[in-house]
Amino acid sequence: MSEPAAIAFLGVGNMGEAMLRGLLKAGHPGPLLQAYDTRTERLLALAGETGFRACSGPAQALEGASVVVLAVKPQSMDALLAQVGGALSPGQTVVSIAAGVTLERLARALPPGTPLVRVMPNTPGLIGRGVSAFCLSLGTPESAAAVVEALLAPLGAVLRVDEARMDAVTALSGSGPAYVFLFMEALQAAGEALGLPPEAAFTLAARTLDGAAAMVLAGERAPRDLRAAVTSPGGTTAAALKVLEEGGFVPLVARALAAARDRSAELGRLP
């Protein structure tokens, strides 16, 4: 965005809060950020802490905004769209971060010609290390892509994909942090079972995952090559990987992502 845009947030849950904090940290003027949430006490506390403008309802939040971020759960989206549809002004770009909610579903509930963007961020965006994917509806001007990229950049990396791939994105990166947290829990618990103190097991597990991801993102070698480099024939790593492979680790991950993808698609079909 060449000049800061006025942005309205409808819903200030974890991701809405992350986006607001990220924009403020990146220098977006607080008076140009306005938000509404049904949890009034939390909204006012967060606004007082960070500097955005708390609004008494969706209509007030929409006033003067060029971008409107719908940051509610999929199950709450239709009720919100019913409130928003009649209050939108021509040209306001609507951005949805609700899992599974399709552009077509948004278009049915909003005025014809409304620029629409579907986004899937993830929770590491809370610390600026997330990844977000987005897609534009047919007819939405390309200029909206730059607006959305600027909106999401404070959260971390930003990718543009076709909408047909958004449920897969949700399965991989949207839900993905939970898989990593589970693996971290498992590593810590196994370390403790082998006699490590809890604090040591936690630090070893967390730092190992962080360091491994950093090596991949450094971009010099692919994950397969990095794995091969630390797997000496007949060594400790080979013994552990053999157990994971025999337990069906790779196909189990594939099944988990397929289940998440299918649930994302189901959420998109909710009435």
Side-chain angles (χ1 to χ4, degrees):
M1 291 176 280
S2 56
E3 294 183 6
I7 304 173
F9 283 80
L10 301 181
V12 187
N14 286 338
M15 286 314 310
E17 178 182 345
M19 294 173 79
L20 279 164
R21 288 185 181 275
L23 286 165
L24 290 164
K25 187 176 181 180
H28 202 96
L32 292 180
L33 298 173
Q34 48 214 46
Y36 166 72
D37 194 281
T38 56
R39 297 163 298 173
T40 304
E41 186 175 334
R42 182 178 187 277
L43 176 69
L44 293 174
L46 189 59
E49 177 192 345
T50 61
F52 68 83
R53 184 164 72 94
C55 298
S56 59
Q60 185 184 39
L62 293 178
E63 291 176 3
S66 58
V67 179
V68 179
V69 181
L70 308 181
V72 298
K73 295 182 183 301
Q75 297 88 336
S76 303
M77 181 59 76
D78 287 330
L80 178 61
L81 289 172
Q83 293 179 286
V84 169
L88 279 176
S89 300
Q92 286 182 309
T93 298
V94 174
V95 178
S96 168
I97 64 170
V101 176
T102 64
L103 293 169
E104 192 273 337
R105 181 171 162 190
L106 296 172
R108 285 201 310 265
L110 298 176
T114 300
L116 299 174
V117 185
R118 179 179 172 184
V119 173
M120 177 46 58
N122 66 2
T123 53
L126 287 163
I127 59 169
R129 295 184 64 180
V131 59
S132 303
F134 75 94
C135 58
L136 306 182
S137 66
L138 192 65
T140 294
E142 277 299 313
S143 58
V147 172
V148 172
E149 287 172 356
L151 176 69
L152 298 173
L155 302 182
V158 183
L159 304 174
R160 182 172 177 176
V161 301
D162 296 330
E163 187 177 23
R165 295 182 171 86
M166 285 297 285
D167 290 328
V169 169
T170 301
L172 178 53
S173 61
S175 299
Y179 317 151
V180 178
F181 298 146
L182 177 61
F183 188 47
M184 189 182 301
E185 290 178 55
L187 286 175
Q188 180 182 351
E192 291 179 32
L194 294 177
L196 290 169
E199 185 175 344
F202 167 77
T203 300
L204 289 166
R207 289 293 184 177
T208 296
L209 291 176
D210 180 61
M215 288 182 72
V216 172
L217 291 174
E220 295 182 2
R221 305 173 76 179
R224 180 187 297 272
D225 296 332
L226 290 168
R227 174 166 57 85
V230 297
T231 308
S232 302
T236 59
T237 306
L241 291 176
K242 184 173 185 292
V243 172
L244 290 174
E245 290 166 357
E246 290 176 346
F249 180 76
V250 173
L252 186 61
V253 170
R255 285 172 51 202
L257 264 67
R261 177 206 59 200
D262 293 346
R263 180 54 179 158
S264 177
E266 288 172 4
L267 289 172
R269 292 192 293 268
L270 287 176

